[in-house]
Amino acid sequence: MTRLRTRTNTCTKLDIRTVAERADVSIATVSRTINSIPTVSPLLAERVWKAIRELDYYPNSQARSLVSGRSRIFGLIVPEITNPFFPELVQGFEDIAVENGYEMLVSSTNNDPGRMSVCIRRMLERRVEGVAVMTFGVEEPLLQQLSERKIPLVLTEFLLDTPHVSTLLLDYKMGFRLGVEHLVKLGHRHIAFISGPLALHSARTRREAFLASLKEFQLPIRESWMVEGDHTLEAGVRGFQALADQGEIPTAILCSNDMTAIGVLKAAYHAHVRVPDDLSVIGLDDIRFSEYTLPPLTTIRLSGVEIAQAAFHALQAQAESEKGKDGVRKYPISTSLVVRESTAPARTINIFPFPR
Amino acid sequence: MTRLRTRTNTCTKLDIRTVAERADVSIATVSRTINSIPTVSPLLAERVWKAIRELDYYPNSQARSLVSGRSRIFGLIVPEITNPFFPELVQGFEDIAVENGYEMLVSSTNNDPGRMSVCIRRMLERRVEGVAVMTFGVEEPLLQQLSERKIPLVLTEFLLDTPHVSTLLLDYKMGFRLGVEHLVKLGHRHIAFISGPLALHSARTRREAFLASLKEFQLPIRESWMVEGDHTLEAGVRGFQALADQGEIPTAILCSNDMTAIGVLKAAYHAHVRVPDDLSVIGLDDIRFSEYTLPPLTTIRLSGVEIAQAAFHALQAQAESEKGKDGVRKYPISTSLVVRESTAPARTINIFPFPR
DNA sequence: CTGAGTAGAGAAAAGCTTTTCTCGAGGCCG
DNA sequence: CGGCCTCGAGAAAAGCTTTTCTCTACTCAG
């Protein structure tokens, strides 16, 4: 028989055995109850739940994963956390992960590829069941470490040619097509582009998608209007100046992310170039802030939350797939155009100097 | 004797025993080597490290913490991740935690106090060794759950009257004093305040600190100039309008965080109120973005990174303190004023209507 | 030269859970 | 009425590491 104890007994340790004793059942029965294994009679289950509530017991997840061989943790590697796009993505991932009984282990490389190895070591030590790598980057050799261990992996649009790797196909083509089309309809023919760092695979992909759209609409391509940035706000400021310094600037600037576009807005303001009257600006991402810039930013929407959810589903599909098939898939992520107030009909081509 | 194997042997499992066999030593010796316990002869240690490198072995952190009773995980609970202040804090915490061999478990309540219990359950299941609660909030009863289990806790300026709780003393008094002083020196005498949601303890504290500063400088206190917001950008927009609707607005608005201040900047712009010529605006936080608003925001700096580091040190001190003392302390966090371009000498009091 | 002490290393237990194995009781069919 | 099957539940093993206990061989002092 179980002796009654006070509810707040802080002295004894609180493990599954304690619960079993209090409910007067075996340890196995408690475990089965917790895991909703149906071979427990309702009578005992009720006793167990009562004991759990009274003791305020929480199973030790470390012991659980040790024995079950499943950590129920997914890793998420992001390049930085300063760019608001990524917090949105992280939050989206946390939400869906927790909802589905998984834990999330975030790690940021802080835009330093050298830190990727630290991130991966953390993932391996915690025995994550999958990793979503959102750095849009170039660290194939390191990722091999994961895929060699058959750890499910999700990458964005970069095709690592190994098993256990799912891919998110971000539809930049469509996005830039919509953006350029929008500008063309407004009468723009001279469009500049501020890219991300071209060392990044995704930055090159975006640039190519932009160029493809220019070709599609038979717009002129001028090398000097293709400026390389680094996805920061400062890159937008510098990019605008680089364009302005050429003495003649296009009537529209398309940026490969919103932070850059916001930098362009700021630089344009200081140069007394009016947006959208003198210059149309389009970003990419649709971060929250874009709605609140002056003027509100027209942008190509790429939903961080949608990416996060797709990444989670990809990992879950792989982690929980049957032995036979590996659950690897490609997940298309669509883009769309959000028209706000940073774009307007083109004037004639802007001839510098604007007042600086 | 150990048989030589190919480097990429993917078939066998990779645990400490594998390493021991390959290095031809006992499991205990491998463990001691990994943990830098000095009773291992250099010769064996070298053999062990070689085997670890060759096998690319990473210890299973779950098994480690299960047996050692130390998870080396600290929890971090934040209210939201959309407000850029928190990503900065999270990043700061991750950096210092990883640097010191700890793991971080972030959890966001998404501004929904109801989600706090989910956050706490995650913390308890993962057996964190401490939790930093950065919600600036009101969830004492829930936190009892943690302190009852003797889990080290760090809170911001709210004094939970139990052991195992360290406190970060954010010096709002000094911050608002500096802000108000700055405005007074510029000739302002009519200062409004947009607070956070007054249900939050910290919002009330900030409000009181502001009022104390008004008194100190013998400025008029007008209830209608004390607007309640909710720390969002929209709150700044609404707050400005609420003040404008009164027909007469003060010459300066102090906001209880930067997002609100940015909202005020936006609303003022749309109302054709020029900042700083017609209206001075001061925020609080000094998020990265504040440097890039139009105009750049004068703000009371409260460093998320500094808070994160203090929180980590507080938890570490408690987690690693000797049995005798509990390591509980109070950590002062200083504030300072960052003067940018959203403040300027006061004109005469603004009389509405501005064009809306 | 002998005995005590110590350093270095292995064997084994412990930590908390899941999961497999085992067992008894009860139901059903022939 | 007996044998087989199934259901419900307990006992015990397993999972991977740390840590304690134990043992051997050596050093050094008397």
Side-chain angles (χ1 to χ4, degrees):
Chain A
M1 285 302 290
T2 312
R3 226 175 336 143
L4 270 181
R5 300 172 210 181
T6 61
R7 169 150 179 181
T8 54
N9 63 351
T10 50
C11 45
T12 50
K13 67 184 173 183
L14 184 41
D15 55 3
I16 199 174
R17 149 174 287 124
T18 318
V19 177
E21 283 171 10
R22 187 180 185 102
D24 208 15
V25 297
S26 72
I27 291 178
T29 299
V30 177
S31 173
R32 282 190 274 255
T33 306
I34 290 172
N35 294 295
S36 315
I37 292 172
T39 69
V40 177
S41 76
L43 176 72
L44 290 200
E46 188 40 53
R47 285 227 304 272
V48 170
W49 284 122
K50 183 159 171 285
I52 288 176
R53 275 195 310 273
E54 287 174 355
L55 293 167
D56 202 22
Y57 164 78
Y58 294 91
N60 182 326
S61 71
Q62 289 142 200
R64 288 184 113 167
S65 26
L66 181 59
V67 61
S68 69
R70 300 205 47 195
S71 65
R72 295 193 78 86
I73 303 178
F74 283 147
L76 178 63
I77 300 182
V78 294
E80 57 173 333
I81 205 89
T82 311
N83 179 338
F85 178 74
F86 292 102
E88 291 174 19
L89 195 155
V90 171
Q91 180 67 54
F93 198 91
E94 182 192 322
D95 287 345
I96 193 165
V98 170
E99 198 176 301
N100 287 274
Y102 279 82
E103 205 55 76
M104 169 187 70
L105 175 58
V106 224
S107 199
S108 161
T109 63
N110 259 339
N111 280 318
D112 173 5
R115 287 192 51 165
M116 181 56 106
S117 61
V118 176
C119 294
I120 290 181
R121 184 166 51 69
R122 289 173 63 194
M123 303 289 155
L124 290 172
E125 289 187 353
R126 293 281 161 188
R127 298 294 191 268
V128 297
E129 289 186 51
V131 182
V133 183
M134 296 290 132
T135 53
F136 304 141
V138 284
E139 298 90 352
E140 302 102 90
L142 286 167
L143 298 180
Q144 292 285 358
Q145 243 188 318
L146 295 169
S147 76
E148 263 175 22
R149 278 161 212 256
K150 305 182 184 175
I151 295 174
L153 217 52
V154 187
L155 306 179
T156 52
E157 61 61 83
F158 177 74
L159 294 165
L160 197 61
D161 192 18
T162 35
H164 311 288
V165 181
S166 286
T167 308
L168 266 35
L169 298 169
L170 312 187
D171 198 351
Y172 296 130
K173 274 232 167 76
M174 171 60 79
F176 283 113
R177 200 192 167 286
L178 289 170
V180 171
E181 182 184 51
H182 174 64
L183 291 173
V184 166
K185 281 186 179 161
L186 290 171
H188 294 270
R189 300 208 72 242
H190 302 92
I191 308 175
F193 184 71
I194 304 179
S195 71
L198 293 177
L200 259 59
H201 187 274
S202 80
R204 294 197 297 273
T205 309
R206 294 186 192 191
R207 191 176 185 273
E208 279 156 27
F210 169 73
L211 288 172
S213 297
L214 285 195
K215 281 199 192 108
E216 180 180 345
F217 290 98
Q218 300 177 321
L219 298 181
I221 295 175
R222 209 187 282 191
E223 263 308 314
S224 61
W225 284 354
M226 308 290 293
V227 180
E228 181 173 357
D230 61 3
H231 283 161
T232 63
L233 201 149
E234 291 85 350
V237 174
R238 285 195 305 270
F240 176 88
Q241 277 161 359
L243 290 168
D245 286 346
Q246 295 175 25
E248 183 188 42
I249 71 168
T251 60
I253 301 178
L254 223 153
C255 301
S256 71
N257 77 337
D258 279 1
M259 289 298 277
T260 304
I262 292 171
V264 169
L265 292 185
K266 180 187 165 75
Y269 177 86
H270 280 122
H272 301 285
V273 173
R274 290 169 305 161
V275 176
D277 305 348
D278 301 325
L279 176 71
S280 286
V281 178
I282 295 185
L284 190 157
D285 277 347
D286 194 23
I287 60 177
R288 272 258 189 123
F289 244 108
S290 301
E291 203 178 331
Y292 296 102
T293 53
L294 294 175
L297 187 67
T298 294
T299 191
I300 297 160
R301 177 166 173 77
L302 187 63
S303 163
V305 173
E306 190 184 338
I307 291 177
Q309 291 179 345
F312 175 82
H313 286 132
L315 291 178
Q316 193 181 29
Q318 286 191 64
E320 299 176 2
S321 70
E322 308 299 322
K323 277 278 149 51
K325 39 193 181 162
D326 61 359
V328 167
R329 269 186 51 197
K330 301 203 189 320
Y331 296 78
I333 306 286
S334 64
T335 50
S336 57
L337 186 70
V338 180
V339 178
R340 297 205 181 92
E341 297 162 34
S342 66
T343 46
R347 301 189 162 188
T348 55
I349 188 165
N350 290 312
I351 303 295
F352 237 74
F354 295 109
R356 284 288 288 287
Chain B
M1 285 299 293
T2 312
R3 225 175 338 144
L4 270 181
R5 298 171 210 182
T6 61
R7 169 146 180 185
T8 54
N9 62 349
T10 51
C11 44
T12 50
K13 69 183 172 184
L14 185 40
D15 55 2
I16 200 174
R17 150 175 286 124
T18 319
V19 177
E21 283 170 11
R22 188 179 185 102
D24 208 15
V25 297
S26 73
I27 290 179
T29 300
V30 177
S31 174
R32 282 190 274 254
T33 306
I34 290 172
N35 294 296
S36 314
I37 291 170
T39 68
V40 177
S41 76
L43 175 72
L44 290 201
E46 187 41 50
R47 285 226 304 272
V48 170
W49 283 122
K50 184 160 170 284
I52 288 176
R53 275 196 310 275
E54 287 175 355
L55 292 167
D56 203 22
Y57 164 77
Y58 294 91
N60 183 325
S61 69
Q62 289 141 200
R64 287 183 115 168
S65 30
L66 182 59
V67 60
S68 70
R70 300 205 45 196
S71 64
R72 295 193 76 86
I73 302 179
F74 283 147
L76 178 63
I77 301 182
V78 294
E80 58 174 333
I81 203 89
T82 311
N83 179 339
F85 178 75
F86 293 103
E88 291 174 19
L89 196 155
V90 170
Q91 180 67 54
F93 198 90
E94 182 192 322
D95 287 344
I96 193 165
V98 170
E99 198 176 301
N100 287 273
Y102 280 81
E103 206 55 76
M104 170 187 71
L105 176 58
V106 224
S107 199
S108 161
T109 63
N110 260 339
N111 280 318
D112 173 5
R115 287 191 51 163
M116 182 56 107
S117 61
V118 176
C119 294
I120 290 180
R121 184 166 52 71
R122 289 173 63 192
M123 303 289 155
L124 290 172
E125 289 187 354
R126 293 282 161 186
R127 298 294 192 267
V128 296
E129 290 186 49
V131 182
V133 183
M134 296 291 132
T135 52
F136 305 141
V138 284
E139 297 89 352
E140 302 103 89
L142 286 166
L143 297 181
Q144 293 285 358
Q145 242 188 319
L146 295 169
S147 75
E148 263 175 21
R149 279 161 211 255
K150 306 184 185 174
I151 295 173
L153 217 53
V154 187
L155 305 179
T156 53
E157 76 33 281
F158 177 73
L159 295 165
L160 197 61
D161 193 19
T162 34
H164 310 290
V165 180
S166 287
T167 308
L168 267 34
L169 298 169
L170 311 187
D171 197 352
Y172 295 130
K173 274 232 167 76
M174 170 61 78
F176 283 112
R177 198 189 168 288
L178 289 170
V180 171
E181 182 185 50
H182 173 64
L183 291 173
V184 167
K185 281 186 180 162
L186 290 170
H188 294 271
R189 300 209 72 242
H190 301 92
I191 308 174
F193 184 71
I194 304 179
S195 71
L198 294 177
L200 259 58
H201 187 274
S202 80
R204 293 196 299 274
T205 309
R206 293 185 192 193
R207 190 175 186 274
E208 278 155 28
F210 169 73
L211 288 173
S213 298
L214 284 195
K215 279 196 193 109
E216 180 180 345
F217 291 97
Q218 301 177 321
L219 298 181
I221 294 176
R222 209 186 281 190
E223 263 308 315
S224 61
W225 284 355
M226 308 289 294
V227 180
E228 180 173 357
D230 61 2
H231 283 159
T232 63
L233 201 149
E234 291 85 349
V237 174
R238 286 196 305 269
F240 177 88
Q241 277 162 358
L243 289 168
D245 286 345
Q246 295 175 24
E248 180 189 44
I249 72 168
T251 60
I253 301 179
L254 223 153
C255 301
S256 72
N257 76 339
D258 279 1
M259 289 299 277
T260 304
I262 293 171
V264 169
L265 293 184
K266 181 187 164 75
Y269 177 86
H270 281 122
H272 300 286
V273 173
R274 288 168 306 160
V275 176
D277 306 346
D278 301 325
L279 176 72
S280 286
V281 177
I282 295 185
L284 190 156
D285 277 348
D286 193 24
I287 60 176
R288 272 257 190 123
F289 244 108
S290 301
E291 202 179 329
Y292 296 102
T293 53
L294 294 176
L297 188 66
T298 295
T299 190
I300 297 161
R301 178 167 173 77
L302 187 62
S303 163
V305 172
E306 190 183 338
I307 291 177
Q309 291 179 345
F312 175 81
H313 287 131
L315 292 179
Q316 194 181 29
Q318 286 191 64
E320 298 176 3
S321 70
E322 310 299 322
K323 278 277 149 52
K325 37 189 183 167
D326 61 358
V328 167
R329 269 184 53 196
K330 301 202 190 319
Y331 296 78
I333 305 287
S334 63
T335 49
S336 57
L337 186 70
V338 179
V339 178
R340 297 204 182 93
E341 297 163 33
S342 66
T343 46
R347 301 189 162 188
T348 54
I349 188 165
N350 288 312
I351 303 296
F352 238 74
F354 294 109
R356 287 287 290 284

